[in-house]
């Protein structure tokens, strides 16, 4: 009955002037495959195998490539081009307008389904930004800075890194070295020539590229969205922009066609994720999201946002199952009729990141949770309003969107994993959520809140941080502040913190103290500061053995 229904559907569909030209073909089994789980080196790199071994993850039947004989029989049905195959879904993506071939494919005994995923269209070569609005102003207020030595001259990008403790990880010597991040996006316009990526190119940190939309290795002439996303992690312009993982290595994959929105883009993503797995990527950043499409028949619904319905969301979980850490933007639908997160932010294992402004206030556009089955989403938040990114024309600019809060967070994940290489992604995931500002009371707006990656590092080390030989001021944010600010302090002993703030004339405007315990994390919040005049202040934290001074700006 399945076969008859499918054939009738196909005849009806292809009688309308072959409106579709890309299809997802799933197989019933992998019987007869020449590959085996006992010889994974035939289809996985040594780095991919090692990543699994490090986390105690076995190679399974799902990892096996599709049966090459099945692929060849599908291609032999007529004018059919192979786009790529999917190990995890036991499927292949094809392109054809041959009615007879499609019917023949559906009739093959090892084919379980054929799904149309894209209409035929003429490519749109515009560089329209499809996922968030950009602020064309290329200047941004200089954030405050800690007077103790910093690893980099962050310039205006300081706040977005400091808010999540990324500068603290840099100060401890973790910049992403040895970590590999796969960036799945809409194109990486001029990353091959822009000065913000000079260090990536000079140091061989771009490991490779592939365009899963066009089927070639050229990604530098396409949409600029991925270029800006990459800059949040790997960009470096002294005094202007420092990414959260400037010394990580990157694979750049184009999966999104910015000119259209069709289900095939999820299939492109699946292919890129599997490729990322095979070459040994550690982390995947996805600043993309899918809800509705140009063809309404492909639309998702909010009920689909259960983590187990959309192909891209299921694949995120598969990626996590083989030991890759998935990070994803929550979406920019918070002020639209959709309102909720999209796919793949709904996936169980993905760290979905919402957006806040420089003060930690939720962005109006940031997509809300929960998932349709009631799980906390987004998981955490980071700065996505006036984020500092590399401009496509050179220099920097500000940009808005969860597309940027995601890579800012993703780079910090790389630094955290670099600092704790023996931990599983589940342990990292839990520590990041536990470090966030409202872990004890998550909601559907901020999720667990704004994470602190230095605190996550403490949590992973059981509350005793070997890298901190003494007390440590982890971060102070927001900076500039308005009505309140917070800081996090790690104490190695029982002691009293004396907390003072002075204006530029030396007048004390804040005086407080806090008793802290040995090997403890203290989160302190100063409130009711709206009456302070705009300008510069100095926060001083004094302990019996040291002093910590932070330059603060009142906005």
């Amino acid at each position: 009955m399945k076969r008859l229904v499918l054939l009738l559907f196909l005849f009806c569909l292809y009688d309308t002037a072959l409106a579709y030209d890309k299809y997802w073909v799933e197989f019933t089994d992998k019987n007869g495959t020449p590959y085996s789980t006992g010889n994974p080196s035939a289809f996985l790199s040594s780095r991919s195998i090692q990543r699994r071994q490090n986390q105690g993850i076995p190679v399974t039947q799902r990892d096996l490539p599709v049966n090459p004989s099945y692929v060849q029989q599908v291609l032999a049905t007529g004018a059919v081009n192979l786009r790529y195959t999917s190990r995890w879904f036991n499927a292949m993506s094809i392109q054809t307008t041959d009615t007879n071939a499609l019917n023949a494919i559906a009739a093959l005994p090892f084919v379980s389904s054929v799904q149309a995923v894209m209409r035929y269209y003429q490519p749109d070569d515009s560089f329209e930004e499809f996922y968030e609005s950009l602020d064309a102003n290329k200047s941004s207020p200089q954030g405050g800075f800690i007077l103790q030595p910093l690893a980099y001259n962050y310039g205006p990008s300081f706040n977005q890194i400091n808010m999540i403790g990324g500068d603290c990880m840099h100060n401890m010597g973790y910049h992403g070295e040895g970590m590999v991040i796969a960036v799945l996006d809409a194109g990486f316009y001029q990353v091959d020539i822009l000065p913000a990526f000079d260090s990536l190119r000079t140091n061989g940190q771009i490991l490779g590229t592939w365009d899963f939309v066009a089927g070639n290795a050229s990604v530098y002439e396409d949409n600029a969205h991925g270029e800006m996303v990459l800059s949040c992690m790997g960009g470096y312009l002294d005094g202007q922009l420092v990414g959260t993982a400037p010394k990580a290595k990157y694979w750049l994959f184009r999966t999104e066609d910015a000119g259209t929105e069709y289900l095939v883009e999820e299939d492109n993503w699946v292919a890129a994720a599997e490729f990322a797995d095979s070459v040994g990527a550690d982390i995947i950043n996805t600043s993309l999201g899918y809800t509705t499409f140009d063809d309404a028949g492909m639309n998702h619904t909010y009920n689909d946002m259960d983590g187990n319905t959309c192909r891209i969301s299921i694949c995120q979980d598969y990626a996590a199952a083989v030991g890759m850490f998935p990070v994803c933007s929550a979406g920019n639908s918070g002020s639209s009729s959709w309102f909720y997160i999209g796919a793949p932010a709904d996936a169980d294992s993905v760290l979905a990141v919402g957006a806040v402004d420089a003060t930690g206030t939720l962005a109006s556009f940031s997509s809300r949770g929960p998932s349709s089955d009631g799980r906390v989403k987004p998981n955490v938040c980071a700065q996505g309003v006036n984020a500092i990114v590399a401009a496509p024309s050179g220099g920097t600019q500000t940009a808005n969107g969860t597309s940027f809060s995601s890579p800012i967070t993703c780079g910090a994940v790389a630094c955290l994993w670099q600092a704790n290489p023996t931990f599983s992604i589940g342990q990292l995931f839990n520590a990041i959520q536990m470090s966030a500002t409202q872990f004890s009371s998550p909601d559907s707006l901020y999720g667990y809140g704004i994470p602190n990656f230095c605190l996550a590092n403490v949590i992973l080390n059981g509350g005793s941080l070997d890298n901190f030989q003494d007390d440590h001021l982890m971060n102070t944010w927001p900076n500039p502040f308005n009505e309140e600010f917070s800081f996090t302090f790690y104490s190695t002993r029982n002691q009293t913190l004396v907390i003072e703030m002075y204006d530029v004339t030396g007048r004390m405007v804040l005086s407080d103290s806090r008793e802290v315990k040995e090997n403890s994390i203290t989160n302190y919040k100063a409130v009711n500061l709206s009456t302070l005049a705009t300008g510069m202040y100095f926060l001083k934290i004094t302990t019996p053995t040291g002093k910590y001074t932070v330059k603060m700006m009142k906005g």
Side-chain angles (χ1 to χ4, degrees):
M1 178 60 73
K2 180 274 298 184
R3 186 71 57 193
L4 177 59
V5 171
L6 180 59
L7 288 172
L8 289 173
F9 164 77
L10 291 172
F11 278 124
C12 293
L13 178 65
Y14 305 136
D15 192 44
T16 61
L18 289 171
Y20 297 87
D21 73 332
K22 292 184 177 68
Y23 302 85
W24 181 257
V25 180
E26 291 194 353
F27 302 128
T28 58
D29 56 66
K30 293 183 179 179
N31 296 340
T33 178
Y35 302 100
S36 71
T37 58
N39 185 27
S41 61
F43 51 91
L44 297 175
S45 68
S46 59
R47 200 177 194 284
S48 177
I49 295 170
Q50 188 63 52
R51 187 190 65 234
R52 287 167 166 80
Q53 292 176 347
N54 290 346
Q55 301 181 68
I57 298 171
V59 176
T60 68
Q61 289 287 319
R62 188 167 64 201
D63 292 311
L64 298 180
V66 298
N67 189 330
S69 173
Y70 291 175
V71 173
Q72 291 306 313
Q73 291 181 66
V74 168
L75 297 179
T77 58
V80 178
N81 293 320
L82 172 66
R83 301 185 68 240
Y84 39 74
T85 62
S86 167
R87 293 182 285 118
W88 295 340
F89 288 90
N90 194 22
M92 63 188 293
S93 176
I94 63 171
Q95 183 169 12
T96 186
T97 55
D98 186 335
T99 303
N100 293 330
L102 286 164
N103 288 330
I105 292 169
L108 291 171
F110 50 81
V111 170
S112 63
S113 66
V114 179
Q115 180 184 21
V117 293
M118 188 171 184
R119 289 184 182 275
Y120 178 77
Y121 73 104
Q122 294 298 323
D124 179 359
D125 294 326
S126 70
F127 287 101
E128 176 186 5
E129 288 305 314
F130 63 94
Y131 200 59
E132 61 273 313
S133 62
L134 296 178
D135 183 346
N137 180 5
K138 293 188 179 180
S139 65
S140 178
Q142 169 81 31
F145 57 90
I146 300 175
L147 295 182
Q148 63 193 50
L150 290 173
Y152 299 99
N153 180 11
Y154 295 97
S157 68
F158 175 74
N159 193 78
Q160 64 199 42
I161 294 176
N162 173 250
M163 177 182 289
I164 61 172
D167 58 315
C168 172
M169 298 302 294
H170 291 173
N171 284 341
M172 289 194 294
Y174 303 113
H175 318 94
E177 295 95 333
M179 304 304 297
V180 176
I181 302 174
V183 188
L184 283 59
D185 218 284
F188 301 86
Y189 183 64
Q190 294 195 342
V191 165
D192 57 335
I193 61 173
L194 285 173
F197 306 103
D198 282 351
S199 60
L200 293 187
R201 296 192 301 269
T202 300
N203 298 323
Q205 291 172 244
I206 298 177
L207 299 180
T209 64
W210 192 258
D211 186 334
F212 287 87
V213 177
N216 57 53
S218 181
V219 299
Y220 297 133
E221 76 285 358
D222 297 303
N223 193 277
H225 184 268
E227 171 265 319
M228 292 182 284
V229 166
L230 176 63
S231 72
C232 295
M233 297 177 280
Y236 180 78
L237 287 171
D238 186 48
Q240 300 180 65
L241 167 68
V242 179
T244 44
K247 295 187 179 180
K249 294 182 178 180
Y250 297 89
W251 282 91
L252 309 181
F253 300 137
R254 181 184 178 223
T255 65
E256 167 76 16
D257 187 341
T260 65
E261 195 81 324
Y262 284 100
L263 194 57
V264 68
E265 290 159 25
E266 292 193 29
D267 299 342
N268 297 342
W269 192 97
V270 168
E274 292 187 14
F275 188 89
D277 166 42
S278 69
V279 295
D282 301 300
I283 305 169
I284 295 178
N285 183 80
T286 308
S287 289
L288 305 167
Y290 299 97
T291 55
T292 59
F293 299 91
D294 294 345
D295 179 349
M298 299 180 182
N299 285 353
H300 297 317
T301 66
Y302 174 59
N303 286 337
D304 293 335
M305 300 300 121
D306 61 358
N308 298 302
T309 298
C310 303
R311 188 148 54 234
I312 191 173
S313 302
I314 296 170
C315 191
Q316 283 277 29
D317 287 341
Y318 288 170
V322 298
M324 292 190 290
F325 194 120
V327 184
C328 177
S329 55
N332 293 344
S333 300
S335 54
S336 75
S337 58
W338 178 273
F339 187 74
Y340 294 105
I341 56 168
D346 65 317
D348 298 344
S349 303
V350 70
L351 188 72
V353 187
V356 296
D357 65 15
T359 71
T361 301
L362 190 73
S364 60
F365 58 75
S366 187
S367 290
R368 274 49 166 183
S371 62
S372 64
D373 59 334
R375 287 173 291 110
V376 173
K377 291 288 177 176
N379 298 91
V380 295
C381 286
Q383 186 170 343
V385 177
N386 290 329
I388 305 300
V389 303
S393 56
T396 63
Q397 67 180 56
T398 56
N400 300 326
T402 58
S403 281
F404 309 111
S405 57
S406 177
I408 288 170
T409 303
C410 182
V413 171
C415 296
L416 181 66
W417 206 353
Q418 177 194 1
N420 300 276
T422 63
F423 285 83
S424 70
I425 62 172
Q427 292 170 308
L428 295 166
F429 197 105
N430 290 336
I432 292 167
Q433 291 189 152
M434 290 175 66
S435 77
T437 52
Q438 53 183 48
F439 174 69
S440 60
S441 56
D443 59 27
S444 62
L445 304 177
Y446 295 84
Y448 291 98
I450 299 170
N452 181 325
F453 280 82
C454 259
L455 179 53
N457 194 30
V458 172
I459 292 168
L460 288 171
N461 286 272
S464 176
L465 188 60
D466 294 336
N467 293 302
F468 291 162
Q469 301 302 319
D470 209 332
D471 301 339
H472 198 89
L473 178 62
M474 292 182 175
N475 67 343
T476 305
W477 63 275
N479 196 359
F481 67 94
N482 186 9
E483 296 184 357
E484 59 187 40
F485 67 82
S486 301
F487 68 78
T488 303
F489 192 90
Y490 174 74
S491 179
T492 60
R493 57 185 64 85
N494 294 322
Q495 59 186 333
T496 301
L497 304 184
V498 178
I499 304 157
E500 301 169 325
M501 178 178 276
Y502 300 86
D503 65 16
V504 292
T505 69
R507 180 176 65 94
M508 182 183 293
V509 297
L510 170 67
S511 178
D512 200 357
S513 64
R514 178 66 56 86
E515 297 295 325
V516 296
K517 295 182 177 181
E518 181 181 4
N519 293 330
S520 68
I521 302 296
T522 297
N523 291 302
Y524 178 90
K525 178 178 284 189
V527 297
N528 301 323
L529 303 177
S530 59
T531 58
L532 291 182
T534 300
M536 183 186 302
Y537 294 85
F538 295 91
L539 173 66
K540 184 170 74 170
I541 302 168
T542 306
T543 74
T545 58
K547 294 181 180 180
Y548 305 82
T549 304
V550 181
K551 185 177 180 180
M552 305 286 291
M553 297 297 296
K554 172 69 161 55

